[in-house]
Amino acid sequence: MLFLLSPRSIFQWTNQQCQLCHLPLYPQEQVWCRHCTDHFPQPPYCSRCGMTTVKPSGECGNCLSKPPPWQQFYRLGEYDFPLRQLVHQLKFSGKFWLAEPLGRLLARQIVHPAPAVIPVPLHPLRRFSRSFNQSTLLARAIARETESRCLPNALRRTRHTQTQRHLSKRDRKKNLNQAFILKAKRLPEHVAIVDDVVTTGSTVAELTHLLLRSGVKQVDIYCICFTPPRQ
């Protein structure tokens, strides 16, 4: 029944209590109460790779020596409270309507939006088990806010790869080898890839290389959470 409504309609229908602490919301509050949103400010980060920095940085030291294949990186924060909880609710608790407010928050940080946004595709089997692709919902919310085009079918995942969550960086790259194909015939020169969580960057790097080989000139990354590498 709920899936017959849009994510925005579901969000408005459920917007009676904070989606983190579940306390009632005051009329001026939306989605989260003011006590929970106090935890939302996130540390500055490198706008090229997404790594947390002491102060906002155009390119950190790592990017100066070995830059990633994409150009710009936008994130809401690190994979920590409260964003970690919200991503889990979105992906694993069926609260797909959270993609709308999360996408809007992220879109407000984007200085020069790409004309087209492309979600990281799920394999059909995984999408069937989850009933939706969270990256597609985020991409649609971002596209509405930035007046860009959302291209949910531009890429296709051809192999049902194992989950990346517990793999090393080397194994992640091997796991993604030839896992995607480009379906779109024509793309703008500037596009953005949308994902919920970026950890090692293996997935978005694989997709970036695929898009660059197809003639795209600039690829940006939009994500909710970034996972810093283990020290």
Side-chain angles (χ1 to χ4, degrees):
M1 179 67 179
L2 294 181
F3 282 88
L4 297 178
L5 302 174
S6 68
R8 178 171 292 185
S9 300
I10 298 294
F11 157 67
Q12 293 171 344
W13 178 71
T14 57
N15 191 22
Q16 303 298 320
Q17 62 182 19
C18 175
Q19 294 298 305
L20 278 170
C21 68
H22 304 296
L23 291 175
L25 292 175
Y26 288 100
Q28 68 272 21
E29 297 172 337
Q30 292 186 347
V31 192
W32 306 286
C33 69
R34 63 182 184 275
H35 304 291
C36 287
T37 53
D38 286 342
H39 295 280
F40 272 49
Q42 297 290 332
Y45 62 95
C46 170
S47 62
R48 183 69 188 267
C49 69
M51 182 76 69
T52 297
T53 55
V54 176
K55 59 182 180 180
S57 169
E59 283 189 317
C60 65
N62 289 333
C63 290
L64 291 174
S65 60
K66 191 177 180 181
W70 57 80
Q71 293 297 315
Q72 293 290 315
F73 193 104
Y74 293 97
R75 70 181 209 191
L76 278 184
E78 290 187 354
Y79 191 54
D80 202 353
F81 180 86
L83 295 177
R84 177 172 180 164
Q85 282 73 8
L86 293 174
V87 168
H88 274 245
Q89 290 177 13
L90 170 63
K91 291 174 66 173
F92 307 120
S93 298
K95 295 187 177 182
F96 60 93
W97 56 86
L98 289 177
E100 180 73 26
L102 286 171
R104 287 205 308 268
L105 282 177
L106 179 57
R108 290 166 190 167
Q109 295 192 20
I110 300 170
V111 180
H112 300 293
V117 293
I118 302 174
V120 172
L122 284 180
H123 189 273
L125 290 177
R126 187 161 292 161
R127 190 191 181 286
F128 177 78
S129 64
R130 190 172 293 167
S131 300
F132 61 92
N133 180 353
Q134 70 280 354
S135 296
T136 298
L137 298 181
L138 289 167
R140 286 173 176 161
I142 293 169
R144 281 191 290 269
E145 194 75 12
T146 60
E147 298 183 350
S148 304
R149 285 190 299 150
C150 179
L151 305 176
N153 300 313
L155 296 166
R156 190 176 79 183
R157 190 182 290 257
T158 57
R159 291 195 296 108
H160 187 39
T161 55
Q162 61 178 307
T163 180
Q164 298 272 88
R165 198 179 314 161
H166 303 298
L167 297 180
S168 66
K169 187 173 183 178
R170 175 184 289 182
D171 290 338
R172 283 172 182 249
K173 187 174 181 179
K174 183 178 179 180
N175 188 44
L176 293 169
N177 185 37
Q178 296 183 338
F180 303 99
I181 61 171
L182 181 67
K183 291 184 63 181
K185 300 295 183 183
R186 296 179 61 185
L187 289 171
E189 291 188 348
H190 181 196
V191 302
I193 297 171
V194 180
D195 205 358
D196 56 342
V197 180
V198 171
T199 304
T200 64
S202 300
T203 300
V204 291
E206 184 76 15
L207 294 175
T208 298
H209 287 304
L210 179 60
L211 291 169
L212 292 175
R213 288 195 299 268
S214 74
V216 173
K217 302 299 183 184
Q218 176 177 338
V219 179
D220 298 338
I221 308 299
Y222 303 163
C223 72
I224 301 301
C225 296
F226 173 84
T227 305
R230 296 187 183 130
Q231 301 297 324

